[in-house]
Amino acid sequence: MEKKLIRKCPICNSDSGEILHHQSFADLDMYELPKDYDIVCCHRCGFVFADTQASQQDYSRYYQEFSKYESGGTPVWTTEKMKPLSKFLPDKEASILDIGCANGELLVELKKIGYKNLTGLDPAKVCVQNARNNEIDTVEGELFSINSVIPDKKFDCIVLSHVLEHIRDLEKAADIMSNNLNDGGVLYIEVPDASRYSEFFIVPYYFFDTEHINHFDENSLNNLFLQKGFDLLQYEKKVINQMDSNKLYPIVYAIYKKTNKKENIKNIVKNLKVRDSVLAHIKESEEKSKWPEIDRIANSKEKIVVWGAGSHALRLLNNSSLSKCNIEFFIDKDPKKQGMKMKNIPIYSSEKLKMHKGPVVVCSALYSDDIAKEIKNMGAENIIIVMK
């Protein structure tokens, strides 16, 4: 189905696209991002993205208040993974800025191989302090506040690792990166590889959450950055373990050099590989969205507890019979969520489980097996049902 886009294509500015899927989420207290959106494919360039009504300010505020990485859980960085970047940045005195640095893990690895002029930037206060504890010079802020929090400075290299998929205003972001790089500077981008979603199924609709709003591959990255005066130096498709779990996750990284060449926007190359991969992921998600035990519990109205208040639960509560279940309360280990409500039902720490004798439904995309083991290790005798 075609539609006139709310959010124009952030790469080619087209205002028309094809609806691939409509995604909705349950309500969570203080969660100001949209509760639903269309996943669309741009008619002009083939870029796949969320046609969200939220502004960049809405997303920036969310990342400041709801960081996932304060207790770790960022992609695992090793000295080996830094070799491609160091190939194009041989000078160990080169100034490097990591935007969205979380706890500074990437910069720590760069420090190990001899880089000295390192700066981190992150919107979450706790992450900033954690990075400073790792002896990394770190500033509180985000991509769109660079010029105010780090004034009058340009860098030889800027890194955005697993950041660009969360940015609404991509064209403005690319301009900011160009303006804050020295001529000849290097840009390292790493994002989930949407052209391979269909090869790495985790749970239904896993790749569609409230904050992951852009679905890149190497073609769409080039369409964005070549028109902004960058040359592609290298790209590579890889597989990583997602968020310290045993779940394999496809990524693509690309390394660009600022050359100030201005490619004509008409040279944007249309490619539908991501569209096809996303449609295959949607089809498999539909086929695997069947939980007979949850259907039974919904009909019986027995009281249950749901362990998990993340994206997987937010999707399930709006798109499965879990929404019809008699949920007594939620459990989540994120202290920021404890005390909040989801669908007007309170969220507690795991201590509260001692008060419940009925079934526990585990709703975690990455850690469901670990949670089930934790429940058993607590000595709880509850029936455990895993939705994955």
Side-chain angles (χ1 to χ4, degrees):
M1 180 186 299
E2 297 184 6
K3 73 173 293 190
K4 186 174 179 64
L5 301 174
I6 301 168
R7 173 194 181 199
K8 290 184 178 181
C9 175
I11 289 180
C12 75
N13 210 35
S14 170
D15 65 356
S16 65
E18 174 192 6
I19 300 174
L20 306 181
H21 175 68
H22 184 77
Q23 185 63 58
S24 62
F25 309 91
D27 290 330
L28 177 64
D29 278 359
M30 298 172 62
Y31 207 82
E32 297 180 2
L33 299 184
K35 302 302 186 293
D36 67 306
Y37 57 67
D38 291 324
I39 301 290
V40 299
C41 176
C42 172
H43 278 152
R44 182 181 185 190
C45 70
F47 186 50
V48 175
F49 59 96
D51 191 21
T52 172
Q53 299 183 52
S55 67
Q56 182 59 58
Q57 289 76 12
D58 293 329
Y59 288 101
S60 296
R61 184 167 53 250
Y62 170 84
Y63 302 129
Q64 181 178 20
E65 297 175 357
F66 291 97
S67 172
K68 298 178 179 179
Y69 306 121
E70 294 178 0
S71 302
T74 54
V76 178
W77 291 102
T78 63
T79 301
E80 186 68 24
K81 286 189 70 173
M82 291 298 94
K83 283 185 177 180
L85 178 59
S86 60
K87 171 184 173 183
F88 298 105
L89 200 68
D91 183 4
K92 300 300 184 185
E93 299 292 335
S95 55
I96 302 175
L97 173 66
D98 182 8
I99 298 175
C101 69
N103 300 301
E105 293 91 342
L106 181 151
L107 295 173
V108 169
E109 294 302 321
L110 287 172
K111 190 174 182 179
K112 287 179 183 178
I113 57 177
Y115 289 98
K116 301 177 178 65
N117 193 356
L118 304 171
T119 304
L121 180 71
D122 199 89
K125 290 180 184 294
V126 174
C127 285
V128 169
Q129 189 56 55
N130 289 342
R132 289 173 179 170
N133 292 342
N134 286 327
E135 299 184 345
I136 298 297
D137 180 18
T138 312
V139 178
E140 185 180 337
E142 42 93 45
L143 191 154
F144 296 94
S145 66
I146 288 177
N147 293 332
S148 59
V149 299
I150 311 178
D152 304 320
K153 183 175 182 180
K154 291 190 175 185
F155 294 87
D156 299 312
C157 174
I158 293 178
V159 175
L160 280 92
S161 174
H162 298 271
V163 171
L164 211 59
E165 65 267 30
H166 305 283
I167 299 296
R168 188 189 192 282
D169 297 341
L170 290 179
E171 189 173 2
K172 183 177 179 182
D175 285 333
I176 290 172
M177 285 180 268
S178 179
N179 292 338
N180 284 275
L181 270 176
N182 290 318
D183 289 345
V186 173
L187 178 63
Y188 179 96
I189 303 291
E190 184 170 308
V191 290
D193 181 5
S195 70
R196 293 185 289 157
Y197 284 174
S198 57
E199 300 172 33
F200 294 87
F201 187 85
I202 297 176
V203 295
Y205 308 106
Y206 175 75
F207 297 102
F208 311 142
D209 58 36
T210 52
E211 56 183 275
H212 185 165
I213 57 175
N214 303 309
H215 302 280
F216 289 101
D217 68 350
E218 65 279 8
N219 183 75
S220 50
L221 287 175
N222 285 338
N223 281 342
L224 176 61
F225 287 106
L226 296 187
Q227 64 176 305
K228 293 298 181 180
F230 289 91
D231 276 355
L232 176 66
L233 298 176
Q234 177 176 311
Y235 83 88
E236 186 178 0
K237 293 170 173 287
K238 303 188 76 172
V239 177
I240 63 172
N241 288 328
Q242 170 70 333
M243 298 279 288
D244 296 332
S245 73
N246 61 356
K247 306 292 193 226
L248 296 180
Y249 192 75
I251 64 101
V252 57
Y253 75 78
I255 302 174
Y256 296 93
K257 181 179 181 179
K258 179 181 174 181
T259 63
N260 292 319
K261 294 179 184 177
K262 296 297 182 182
E263 297 285 342
N264 191 315
I265 194 168
K266 292 180 181 178
N267 290 334
I268 283 178
V269 178
K270 183 174 182 177
N271 190 293
L272 298 178
K273 286 191 302 182
V274 169
R275 174 189 179 274
D276 294 343
S277 174
V278 165
L279 286 174
H281 173 66
I282 292 167
K283 182 179 179 181
E284 187 170 6
S285 295
E286 291 171 348
E287 293 170 350
K288 294 186 176 179
S289 293
K290 297 178 177 66
W291 295 279
E293 188 65 12
I294 301 300
D295 296 338
R296 183 193 66 76
I297 290 174
N299 290 328
S300 72
K301 298 302 180 184
E302 62 184 301
K303 289 184 178 181
I304 65 168
V305 163
V306 174
W307 190 312
S311 293
H312 188 40
L314 288 170
R315 286 187 295 263
L316 289 170
L317 283 165
N318 249 37
N319 302 280
S320 76
S321 56
L322 186 64
S323 62
K324 301 175 183 177
C325 288
N326 185 8
I327 302 172
E328 191 171 5
F329 55 86
F330 293 93
I331 291 174
D332 200 278
K333 300 189 79 171
D334 184 348
K336 288 187 175 181
K337 292 179 181 175
Q338 294 163 11
M340 296 172 63
K341 291 184 178 181
M342 188 153 66
K343 295 200 74 168
N344 209 31
I345 301 169
I347 304 170
Y348 298 116
S349 71
S350 57
E351 285 294 311
K352 188 71 173 178
L353 187 59
K354 298 174 182 177
M355 309 294 293
H356 176 76
K357 302 302 180 185
V360 179
V361 177
V362 177
C363 293
S364 174
L366 300 178
Y367 307 110
S368 57
D369 293 339
D370 293 335
I371 292 171
K373 289 178 183 178
E374 182 175 347
I375 294 170
K376 292 177 181 177
N377 291 338
M378 291 169 61
E381 298 181 357
N382 309 73
I383 295 172
I384 302 171
I385 303 166
V386 177
M387 294 188 75
K388 64 178 182 178

